[in-house]
Amino acid sequence: MTDFKELIANAIYDESLGLNCDEIKALIEIPADETMGDYAFPCFRLAKTLRKAPQMIAQDIADRIGGTEGFAKVENVNAYVNFFIDRAYFAGQVVEEVNEKGPEYGRSDIGEGRKVIVEYSSPNIAKPFHIGHIRSTVIGNALYKLYDAVGYDVTRINHLGDYGTQFGKMIVAYRKWGSEEELAQDPIKSLLAYYTKFHEEAKEHPELEDEARETFVRLEAGEAEEVELWKKFRELSLAEFSRVYDMLGISFDSYAGESFYSDKMPRFIDELQDRGLLVESQGARIVDLEMYDLGAAMITKSDGSSLYVTRDIAAAVYRKEHYDFYKCIYVVASQQNLHFRQWKKVLELMGYEWEKDCVHVPFGLVSLADGDDIKMMSTREGRVVFLEDVLNTAVQKTAEIMREKETEGVDIDEVSKEVGIGAVIFQELSNNRIKDYVFSWDKVLNFDGETGPYVQYTHARASSVLRKAEAGGTDINSLGDIDPGYLESDSAYALVKLLYRVPEVVVEAAEKYEPSILTRHLVDIAQSFNKFYHDEHILTDNEDEKRAKLALVKASRTVIANCLGLLGIRAPERM
Ligand code: ARG
């Protein structure tokens, strides 16, 4: 497809200007005011070279390249050369390209031959998979899809929180108050109950804490009984998490979590020691980062057991050696900013210069509409909103809404899953990720707002137009040769422009680790499509006009489905 900036740059290029095509291209702007054209080239920089007033330069350029193909009008306004795209030419190109590429439209090969790791979700086992986890899970999955779409070879890692002193507590609690039947019946809720009880009891009996610490040391030393219990907790937890991942349509290439690194740490403790980075502090060993304003990173505790940051050091080096990544992306809440800054600093001090390729992608908090802060839903006190319950509620509520609408031919059981879960995912990806946001059912499930259901509904609407056309005898699989002169209206043009920008939006969303850039663009496309749908009579008697418009409908449907796919959301044909 024509790269219009390049077309302009080539047309403007002239030896006398003293700029090469890339330099010209970089100067081209998109005017905020559409009456100033689709693209504009400012001539200020040329004034010095050419020893002429910028206005005159602009006028000369405009005169020289007046009739360039692809442009309806080229004119100068003050020091700018303004370019108006030939709408029919443009629409013809975009529609043809999208319909030819189909599911591939929006994808590129920028990252070819390079490996990216996206680490996301990473819940702690034996603890509830609650609504607070949805962010890492869903943002991470979208980033995986975006990096995959721009051509990288992506590995998805679930860095399970399956190690650490809490397992000492869990084992002690289970031995004291647990039962096998209970555990089998409802593993995480039972483990949560034992864990909660542990904290209550420990207030009265602080010696429980010591017992837990000793138990963890035995676990870390590989004592059979402790390892056995730990394994059981891990398996039962994974089975529960998998249920949620299946609902969300999410999978991983590796579940190598914290425990995977338990035997890989001595090497790093030696390395730290050799580099003179370890300091004794009350029996524990730390790396002093005070001079970087980062406090202290604790590497081993006084009882010798390892810590979160130590395991993250081992994990990073393992990944570098094992995958030789170009980039390793960590999708983890902004509450852990300090941890990640400390960890990067320690890696840097250890001489691993590739630490600069490790990127922490933080995000803000979710809270519930009634003011019940998710962070307040402390696991210790046992007050939690399970993610699985949220997803099930979304599906149920969606089914109710759909029953009221009574759309013909819709399999409500199936579609309410796609829409309900899609709605929750879409909401997650709508806001700038770093912002805290409030979860509210009204917002999530609004079929008319800037929501998942709205976009999916638009997809279903486009599908329905195409079905009708087919029923009327139009072959929607042969819309290749159309007369784009029928796609010159303002609403068609606005829509075409948005479809055209999708590949660059995908790249930008990936590079900025910000799926919401794509989500917002997708809402714009849906709104623009609906405006086109209302403004225009699509299934007209004029065969050529109908085919041209249907080609645009088909292209829009493809783009909406592709973008939803990149966000991890299904695109139902009917709803
Ligand atoms: N399991 C941790 C938690 O739930 C998140 C792990 C983040 N990843 C990492 N490499 N530290 O808080």
Side-chain angles (χ1 to χ4, degrees), residues 108-336:
S108 54
D109 54 12
I110 299 171
E112 209 175 84
R114 280 180 292 191
K115 287 193 179 160
V116 164
I117 290 176
V118 185
E119 186 218 280
Y120 59 107
S121 198
S122 313
N124 297 326
I125 65 163
K127 293 224 187 139
F129 197 23
H130 61 78
I131 183 170
H133 291 119
I134 193 169
R135 305 218 70 186
S136 171
T137 307
V138 162
I139 295 170
N141 187 50
L143 289 178
Y144 146 63
K145 290 187 179 259
L146 287 166
Y147 272 86
D148 177 65
V150 295
Y152 289 91
D153 173 4
V154 190
T155 301
R156 301 161 291 179
I157 298 182
N158 192 331
H159 187 72
L160 283 182
D162 56 3
Y163 222 62
T165 40
Q166 72 270 28
F167 293 99
K169 295 179 188 174
M170 209 87 70
I171 291 171
V172 169
Y174 175 71
R175 280 178 177 156
K176 287 201 187 316
W177 310 296
S179 86
E180 213 159 311
E181 300 89 76
E182 246 175 18
L183 193 61
Q185 225 163 45
D186 199 343
I188 292 194
K189 282 193 180 137
S190 314
L191 286 170
L192 177 64
Y194 308 149
Y195 190 65
T196 308
K197 188 161 164 89
F198 179 94
H199 284 277
E200 274 163 16
E201 297 281 323
K203 278 184 213 150
E204 302 277 309
H205 307 280
E207 65 279 7
L208 277 173
E209 300 275 2
D210 295 328
E211 199 181 331
R213 264 192 291 277
E214 285 156 25
T215 308
F216 178 64
V217 174
R218 278 202 299 277
L219 175 63
E220 199 158 38
E223 296 288 342
E225 247 183 70
E226 278 77 12
V227 170
E228 188 72 20
L229 278 176
W230 167 83
K231 266 197 184 147
K232 185 161 156 170
F233 297 166
R234 188 179 194 270
E235 267 161 33
L236 292 170
S237 305
L238 261 184
E240 275 206 49
F241 298 162
S242 298
R243 272 206 319 264
V244 177
Y245 292 138
D246 286 348
M247 287 173 92
L248 289 166
I250 285 176
S251 41
F252 296 90
D253 301 304
S254 159
Y255 280 93
E258 292 185 44
S259 68
F260 180 75
Y261 303 100
S262 61
D263 61 351
K264 299 181 177 52
M265 281 174 297
R267 168 183 157 194
F268 302 103
I269 295 169
D270 292 347
E271 275 181 32
L272 284 163
Q273 192 81 51
D274 293 348
R275 288 191 175 248
L277 290 164
L278 278 189
V279 187
E280 290 273 330
S281 168
Q282 294 160 337
R285 286 183 292 179
I286 63 161
V287 178
D288 183 1
L289 300 172
E290 214 50 79
M291 68 193 100
Y292 309 103
D293 254 355
L294 292 172
M298 207 195 277
I299 302 296
T300 58
K301 286 198 192 174
S302 52
D303 59 16
S305 61
S306 71
L307 281 136
Y308 188 50
V309 73
T310 323
R311 294 191 282 274
D312 259 330
I313 292 167
V317 177
Y318 175 85
R319 289 175 190 174
K320 185 66 196 176
E321 290 175 352
H322 194 75
Y323 298 101
D324 192 22
F325 57 76
Y326 162 74
K327 230 183 230 190
C328 184
I329 298 169
Y330 293 75
V331 187
V332 185
S334 58
Q335 285 147 297
Q336 297 195 24

Side-chain angles (χ1 to χ4, degrees), residues 341-369:
R341 288 176 62 207
Q342 290 184 332
W343 158 80
K344 273 177 83 80
K345 187 48 97 181
V346 175
L347 284 174
E348 185 195 317
L349 295 173
M350 291 173 86
Y352 293 117
E353 39 80 36
W354 47 260
E355 63 75 30
K356 63 181 186 334
D357 305 323
C358 295
V359 191
H360 174 212
V361 174
F363 52 83
L365 278 180
V366 205
S367 51
L368 290 184

Side-chain angles (χ1 to χ4, degrees), residues 368-420:
L368 290 184
D370 61 7
D372 195 352
D373 193 346
I374 297 295
K375 213 174 51 173
M376 300 295 292
M377 285 187 261
S378 141
T379 324
R380 292 187 186 185
E381 287 159 37
R383 286 188 298 130
V384 222
V385 177
F386 284 81
L387 182 49
E388 191 171 4
D389 296 340
V390 173
L391 296 177
N392 282 325
T393 308
V395 173
Q396 249 167 42
K397 284 181 184 269
T398 305
E400 278 162 31
I401 298 173
M402 292 182 65
R403 262 181 223 113
E404 273 166 34
K405 284 189 183 276
E406 281 187 66
T407 321
E408 231 182 283
V410 178
D411 177 352
I412 293 190
D413 281 347
E414 200 42 47
V415 178
S416 62
K417 279 187 205 148
E418 300 185 355
V419 176

